[in-house]
Amino acid sequence: MDTNQQQHDEYELVMELSEKDTLFEKKKKLLEAKGFDPNGKVMIKSNCCSVEMLNSVLEELIQRARIIHSDEVDLYFGWIDAAHPVGFCSQRNELESLYSILSVVNKSKSNDQPYQPKVFQDLRNATLDLIHKFGDNIKEDIKLLASQNLDKEKHLLQWGESNGIKSRLNIANVEGAGRGAIASEDLEVGDIALEIPVSVIISEDVVHKTSMFSILEKVGGISSETMLLLWSMKEKHDINSRFRTYFDSLPETFNTGLSFGIEAIMALEGTLLLEEIVQAKEHLRSQYDDLIPSLCKNYPDIFPPEMYTWDEFLWACELWYSNSMKIMYSDGKLKTCLVPIAGFLNHSISPHIMHYGRVDSTTNSLKFPLVRQCKAGKQCYLTYGNLSSSHLISFYGFLPNGDNPYDVIPLDFDLSEVDNTEDSHISNWSTHMVRATWLSNNHGIFHYGLPAPLLEHLREARGLFSQSSITAQEKLEIELEILEDLQSTFDAMMQNLGESETESLVRENCDWDVKLALDYKDLQRRIISSILNSCYAGRQLVERDLQKCTNSS
């Protein structure tokens, strides 16, 4: 993204879609359908001083940015056509879009002027206003638990400060969330909440300096992540480790889905999460059995058996799954790392921090800038990624607050008989899915709160678009068939989840893992119930119009 001055009375601002984007073709077509230059050029007149003109330019920038920063879920459920504006997709998308506009405007100035033109100053202020309004509408009620001991966390903050970490965050125990990072002062958009020198980041480089590396590098197919996992199992017990303070601050248990007991696993019957956790645990057990016993047997001095038990291995797996970050170093290498103190930042679907994965080459540090404001005393969140609640439970151990747009239910259709060519009416989606219909704003006839690509696929499968002439009544009859089939599918899914009444008695005195499993199951029931309600309401709309057709014939 950049800005060029075309003439003295006009500027060119560029918001470019990267050709490396995995969804490049879909996004390019959407930009063209909206009449936008795919190369991202937006012309701005220097005399664009009225509120109406400024808002018009900003609206175009926002619509472009929403497309550019959309992911597969945004595109699928917000299926955009040329006739309608590019509306709100998700909180993540909106924050990403607004912050990207702010970034390109902040960098903009004309080639022959040392200062930023007023039109860009006005754009910057207008974008900031939108970000502030968006942030103010996000309600985050948290309760800090003052009685909890935080000595180890305070020691880590002190250790970090002595090692060059710059932090504007405090650590607190948050009700329902464990430990969290709290803003120590008012933080504005663009402020750096946390800055970590590369020297204190735990990466594969630490393994290379140990005696175990010469052994592990000879193990066929072993990854740097597995090496780090094995290193951390031993390092946590080393009283002379330079990371001793960090390991002391870690919990004894992480309570992720990987630690679910039999009762919790059984409680997940009928959910996709059951299969996800079982497969993950089987994979880890296989990995442990294939690697660790032989290392302990052949090199007991370097891999002491008492430090390399299954429980220690599982603890290390949960540590790396729940706390590691992918970091791009200045040399272009992408490494999986543990970042002390940054691990206290919890996940949110509307985070304050979204861009934190690249080392700043000028300071040789990792910076965590804010994309929206955070008041002093409020919890400061980042994003762990565009993750479903099932993934967050499996590898992080929690259900996110609010409506997670990535809680989708995949649908398995045979696409072999459907025309998916370039001229097809549908938009070349190879997979289909649904999510809670309360996230949709369109519940009218032919929409029903359901995703347009899914409905178009089902219509195509019934030959709706291949028929040269079809009456309104026949079209409605096809709609009714589609809704009846969907309702039947999700009725079966709901029955597989079992009765919720019997679980309410279990919930009162259950362990953490059973409670989390039941909470997830309740979420699945609510999502499926919303789909069933939409199918039922849709059938009523279609039947009403069918009745009108019958009466008029």
Side-chain angles (χ1 to χ4, degrees):
M1 297 183 180
D2 56 27
T3 307
N4 298 310
Q5 185 179 14
Q6 294 292 96
Q7 300 174 0
H8 289 297
D9 63 342
E10 195 173 57
Y11 298 96
E12 179 185 280
L13 189 149
V14 180
M15 299 185 67
E16 193 170 9
L17 172 63
S18 171
E19 292 188 7
K20 295 180 180 179
D21 193 315
T22 56
L23 296 168
F24 176 79
E25 290 300 328
K26 275 188 169 66
K27 293 180 181 181
K28 182 184 177 188
K29 288 179 181 178
L30 286 174
L31 288 168
E32 290 172 341
K34 296 301 300 174
F36 296 150
D37 181 353
N39 294 321
K41 295 178 182 178
V42 179
M43 307 310 298
I44 305 173
K45 294 187 179 296
S46 60
N47 63 354
C48 180
C49 53
S50 72
V51 174
E52 291 80 8
M53 291 176 68
L54 190 70
N55 287 343
S56 176
V57 170
L58 186 54
E59 180 60 26
E60 180 180 344
L61 290 172
I62 290 172
Q63 292 201 37
R64 286 176 177 269
R66 284 171 175 163
I67 294 175
I68 290 171
H69 295 288
S70 57
D71 58 23
E72 185 177 21
V73 170
D74 292 329
L75 291 177
Y76 187 86
F77 288 96
W79 204 31
I80 305 157
D81 57 40
H84 299 92
V86 185
F88 175 88
C89 294
S90 66
Q91 291 184 322
R92 178 210 61 81
N93 178 272
E94 197 72 359
L95 284 168
E96 187 85 77
S97 299
L98 292 173
Y99 188 72
S100 69
I101 294 169
L102 184 65
S103 298
V104 70
V105 171
N106 279 342
K107 295 174 184 175
S108 64
K109 65 178 183 180
S110 62
N111 296 329
D112 58 351
Q113 291 179 317
Y115 57 88
Q116 192 178 52
K118 183 179 183 301
V119 64
F120 289 120
Q121 295 176 33
D122 293 341
L123 260 180
R124 179 184 185 277
N125 292 336
T127 306
L128 271 175
D129 285 344
L130 288 178
I131 293 175
H132 287 151
K133 289 176 182 176
F134 189 85
D136 290 341
N137 286 331
I138 297 171
K139 303 304 178 186
E140 296 161 329
D141 296 324
I142 63 167
K143 182 179 179 181
L144 303 183
L145 305 177
S147 60
Q148 301 285 340
N149 187 304
L150 290 168
D151 288 345
K152 291 180 179 180
E153 290 78 7
K154 290 176 181 177
H155 288 156
L156 182 62
L157 290 175
Q158 293 167 1
W159 173 86
E161 187 176 353
S162 66
N163 281 276
I165 292 178
K166 299 175 183 177
S167 175
R168 299 165 80 174
L169 304 169
N170 292 322
I171 309 304
N173 278 301
V174 182
E175 186 177 53
R179 301 176 300 180
I182 309 299
S184 59
E185 58 187 274
D186 287 347
L187 299 174
E188 252 302 337
V189 179
D191 284 350
I192 307 298
L194 189 62
E195 183 175 354
I196 314 282
V198 166
S199 59
V200 299
I201 295 176
I202 299 173
S203 72
E204 61 193 58
D205 299 334
V206 299
V207 184
H208 296 168
K209 301 173 183 177
T210 67
S211 56
M212 68 172 62
F213 180 67
S214 61
I215 298 169
L216 294 177
E217 68 176 340
K218 297 173 184 176
V219 177
I222 191 169
S223 66
S224 58
E225 287 84 1
T226 301
M227 290 187 187
L228 277 164
L229 191 148
L230 295 172
W231 170 85
S232 60
M233 292 172 72
K234 188 174 183 180
E235 193 74 8
K236 66 178 285 196
H237 298 289
D238 185 356
I239 60 173
N240 296 315
S241 169
R242 63 181 291 241
F243 299 106
R244 180 70 185 176
T245 307
Y246 170 69
F247 279 103
D248 283 346
S249 72
L250 296 173
E252 293 182 8
T253 58
F254 286 98
N255 290 351
T256 74
L258 299 175
S259 291
F260 272 19
I262 295 297
E263 191 178 353
I265 294 292
M266 292 176 64
L268 289 172
E269 185 178 0
T271 70
L272 292 174
L273 179 55
L274 171 62
E275 184 178 354
E276 187 172 334
I277 289 179
V278 169
Q279 287 183 351
K281 293 182 80 165
E282 287 176 349
H283 168 73
L284 294 181
R285 188 76 222 195
S286 175
Q287 187 180 29
Y288 177 86
D289 292 340
D290 291 345
L291 181 63
I292 291 184
S294 61
L295 289 173
C296 292
K297 179 181 178 181
N298 297 326
Y299 310 98
D301 293 339
I302 296 176
F303 299 97
E306 67 273 13
M307 293 184 184
Y308 286 87
T309 64
W310 164 252
D311 287 339
E312 290 286 329
F313 179 77
L314 184 58
W315 179 90
C317 288
E318 290 183 293
L319 164 65
W320 282 91
Y321 278 131
S322 63
N323 280 261
S324 66
M325 298 177 175
K326 293 284 189 182
I327 305 299
M328 179 67 73
Y329 276 65
S330 301
D331 60 3
K333 290 184 179 179
L334 185 66
K335 302 178 181 179
T336 303
C337 306
L338 291 176
V339 186
I341 299 178
F344 293 126
L345 288 158
N346 289 323
H347 171 81
S348 173
I349 58 175
S350 49
H352 299 91
I353 299 167
M354 300 180 73
H355 305 283
Y356 56 87
R358 185 180 293 273
V359 171
D360 187 324
S361 58
T362 58
T363 59
N364 203 30
S365 63
L366 192 64
K367 296 179 179 179
F368 294 76
L370 270 69
V371 299
R372 68 179 179 96
Q373 73 278 15
C374 185
K375 296 291 186 182
K378 295 294 185 180
Q379 186 169 189
C380 189
Y381 296 96
L382 56 64
T383 174
Y384 295 169
N386 306 331
L387 305 174
S388 66
S389 292
S390 63
H391 187 97
L392 290 169
I393 289 176
S394 295
F395 300 105
Y396 296 89
F398 69 92
L399 268 174
N401 293 323
D403 295 326
N404 185 354
Y406 299 100
D407 281 338
V408 302
I409 300 174
L411 298 175
D412 187 17
F413 291 119
D414 181 8
L415 301 176
S416 59
E417 297 182 3
V418 179
D419 178 17
N420 242 6
T421 63
E422 196 69 27
D423 297 327
S424 175
H425 191 277
I426 61 176
S427 59
N428 295 333
W429 288 97
S430 58
T431 58
H432 292 279
M433 55 191 130
V434 289
R435 68 180 181 187
T437 57
W438 64 71
L439 293 170
S440 172
N441 293 322
N442 194 345
H443 293 263
I445 193 166
F446 305 120
H447 299 283
Y448 325 115
L450 297 168
L454 169 64
L455 293 172
E456 295 293 84
H457 165 75
L458 295 174
R459 290 165 186 150
E460 183 93 347
R462 285 166 172 77
L464 179 61
F465 304 120
S466 62
Q467 300 179 37
S468 57
S469 61
I470 185 170
T471 66
Q473 182 171 335
E474 289 171 331
K475 184 177 180 181
L476 289 169
E477 287 170 350
I478 289 175
E479 286 294 296
L480 200 56
E481 285 180 19
I482 289 170
L483 291 170
E484 287 172 347
D485 286 352
L486 284 173
Q487 191 164 353
S488 175
T489 297
F490 287 98
D491 267 331
M493 286 189 188
M494 184 67 90
Q495 289 175 16
N496 287 339
L497 291 175
E499 297 294 330
S500 59
E501 288 79 6
T502 58
E503 295 170 357
S504 59
L505 298 175
V506 177
R507 191 187 297 271
E508 294 179 7
N509 299 301
C510 64
D511 291 332
W512 68 270
D513 55 344
V514 177
K515 182 181 184 304
L516 190 53
L518 294 178
D519 287 344
Y520 175 77
K521 207 167 186 179
D522 281 346
L523 172 63
Q524 291 300 104
R525 286 193 183 97
R526 289 197 299 116
I527 291 172
I528 294 172
S529 178
S530 75
I531 297 166
L532 287 171
N533 289 338
S534 291
C535 290
Y536 176 75
R539 286 176 60 186
Q540 287 186 312
L541 291 174
V542 173
E543 287 169 353
R544 182 196 63 192
D545 280 20
L546 265 175
Q547 187 62 45
K548 290 179 182 178
C549 288
T550 304
N551 293 339
S552 61
S553 60

